[in-house]
Amino acid sequence: MVRVAFDAMGGDHGASEVVPGLLDYARAHPDVELILVGDTDTIRRIAGDLPTNTRIVHAGSMIDMDEHNPALAMREKKDASILVAAELVRKGEADAVVTAGHTGAGMAAGILKLGRLAGVDRPGLAVQMVTDTGPLVLIDIGANPDSTAENLAQYARMGAIFAEKVLDVADPRVALLSIGEEKGKGDARIQRATELLDASTLRFVGNVEGRDLTKHTADVVVTDAVAGNVLIKFFEGLSSFIFDLWRKEFRASWRGRLAYLLMRPSIARIRSIFDYETHGGSLLLGVKGTVIITHGSAKRRMIGFACDVAARTAAARVPELIAEALAADRERLAELEASASTDRDSSTTPVGATSSTEEEVAS
């Protein structure tokens, strides 16, 4: 049984939405144990009778959504719900931690409590981005605003494992988000990352532009936190804007209302494609455990989807697989460097020695 520890106090709506969402998911998934972390009295008052596959772990405080310095807040509130939930994973009492609370606090708790995987300089925040042929993985969307080329190459490896093991994408295509689709086009960091990915065992297909993402030309798209965060929020805002325009047009006249009745099945299908709530939230890749950070505005429906992503990621052993893949990459790189060093040594003429050509000339 996969065990998911959920920060029951986090989010814009707090326990009033989180707890019912958790209970709905628990009743529909008896093979998953849910651990509700937060104020016991508050949770029991909202929950009533708990399903058999749920339990409560008390936390005496929480990190507020408007907290400007989450690191300082966590030092002052050592019994905050997100820290208690992450601690359960660290101690092996849970397999995943999920929060709808403060994003910075969620990332900090994952990194400080669980620690980075060996060889990971900076973990990345990955999200599933919708297309009409299934989701793609976009990483990083908020963890590191100043990623290096080496960081981008690691994001690619980690994102590919998530796409393969959780989204069931065989041999995922990996691309870099840049200003042009030609391979290597972009700043020095993109060019260096291109070299690293070309030398990797990943299925690297080069660059993609922002307009290509909805065409699903790659299964994993790698970028830095600033571009990734702006992109995903613009995409979500644009989706809502388009549907709001449709709604106004349909309500504007009797012709519009009639058109809606005729198009309602098609509109429902399109809406289901753009329904980002079904993807649960963002996954912090590169730490020793499964950490999911869902939308602060998440209500009970999205809370359930966040639980599902966490359970599937933990069951697929994604953190362990990432650690194994990065270790294999380091071993492969060391072998390549050793081979290159041997080639250089063999091609260098020792001091005082003469080559066969020099001996022929001398004779």
Side-chain angles (χ1 to χ4, degrees):
M1 178 177 283
V2 178
R3 303 159 300 171
V4 177
F6 209 111
D7 171 13
M9 311 305 292
D12 296 338
H13 307 287
S16 62
E17 285 291 334
V18 173
V19 172
L22 294 176
L23 298 182
D24 289 345
Y25 182 81
R27 295 185 183 101
H29 298 82
D31 57 331
V32 177
E33 179 187 359
L34 290 184
I35 306 170
L36 284 63
V37 182
D39 180 69
T40 302
D41 292 338
T42 301
I43 295 173
R44 288 198 177 280
R45 184 172 61 252
I46 297 172
D49 294 332
L50 293 174
T52 57
N53 58 327
T54 62
R55 62 187 177 96
I56 299 173
V57 171
H58 181 73
S61 62
M62 59 175 288
I63 306 298
D64 295 328
M65 292 295 287
D66 59 355
E67 179 60 58
H68 295 297
N69 191 334
L72 176 61
M74 288 192 294
R75 285 197 294 270
E76 295 174 347
K77 300 178 179 180
K78 297 185 182 300
D79 61 345
S81 51
I82 181 58
L83 290 174
V84 175
E87 179 68 12
L88 292 175
V89 177
R90 190 191 69 81
K91 295 191 298 185
E93 297 178 17
D95 304 300
V97 56
V98 189
T99 182
H102 196 294
T103 299
M107 290 191 295
I111 295 171
L112 296 175
K113 283 289 185 180
L114 306 182
R116 298 176 177 86
L117 292 172
V120 172
D121 181 27
R122 295 181 177 181
L125 203 56
V127 69
Q128 298 177 55
M129 188 172 178
V130 298
T131 75
D132 63 350
T133 54
L136 62 82
V137 178
L138 180 66
I139 181 173
D140 175 30
I141 65 156
N144 300 295
D146 55 351
S147 300
T148 66
E150 288 72 20
N151 296 150
L152 297 181
Q154 282 193 346
Y155 295 160
R157 171 66 73 188
M158 296 189 293
I161 291 174
F162 176 74
E164 181 179 358
K165 300 301 181 182
V166 178
L167 304 183
D168 297 323
V169 180
D171 194 18
R173 299 162 297 171
V174 176
L176 291 166
L177 182 66
S178 190
I179 58 175
E181 62 183 13
E182 298 83 6
K183 183 181 285 189
K185 189 171 184 179
D187 58 20
R189 178 179 54 179
I190 294 294
Q191 294 172 19
R192 173 56 180 160
T194 297
E195 295 174 358
L196 294 172
L197 291 173
D198 271 334
S200 74
T201 57
L202 294 170
R203 185 183 174 188
F204 179 52
V205 297
N207 289 352
V208 294
E209 298 179 79
R211 64 184 178 184
D212 297 324
L213 295 182
T214 55
K215 301 175 185 176
H216 206 157
T217 54
D219 304 300
V220 179
V221 176
V222 180
T223 185
D224 66 87
V226 175
N229 193 271
V230 170
L231 176 64
I232 194 65
K233 288 182 178 176
F234 175 77
F235 184 80
E236 292 174 355
L238 180 62
S239 302
S240 299
F241 173 68
I242 291 173
F243 281 108
D244 287 342
L245 287 179
W246 278 8
R247 189 177 297 109
K248 291 178 182 178
E249 286 297 317
F250 289 141
R251 293 174 176 175
S253 66
W254 68 266
R255 291 184 178 88
R257 290 189 288 272
L258 177 60
Y260 173 73
L261 291 175
L262 296 174
M263 296 177 61
R264 184 160 55 181
S266 299
I267 293 172
R269 285 193 293 271
I270 294 173
R271 185 182 290 276
S272 68
I273 293 173
F274 282 91
D275 188 3
Y276 65 85
E277 287 192 1
T278 61
H279 301 307
S282 303
L283 176 64
L284 185 62
L285 296 174
V287 295
K288 298 175 183 177
T290 297
V291 179
I292 302 290
I293 303 172
T294 191
H295 276 267
S297 60
K299 293 191 175 182
R300 62 188 67 187
R301 178 174 178 266
M302 192 172 184
I303 294 298
F305 287 120
C307 286
D308 196 56
V309 173
R312 289 189 288 121
T313 302
R317 297 178 55 254
V318 168
E320 292 89 340
L321 293 174
I322 288 174
E324 294 169 5
L326 294 180
D329 286 347
R330 291 194 299 274
E331 183 177 344
R332 178 172 173 272
L333 180 60
E335 291 176 352
L336 290 174
E337 291 177 345
S339 177
S341 177
T342 301
D343 292 341
R344 287 193 299 269
D345 292 342
S346 63
S347 63
T348 301
T349 302
V351 176
T354 57
S355 66
S356 58
T357 303
E358 290 172 333
E359 290 174 351
E360 292 172 0
V361 172
S363 65

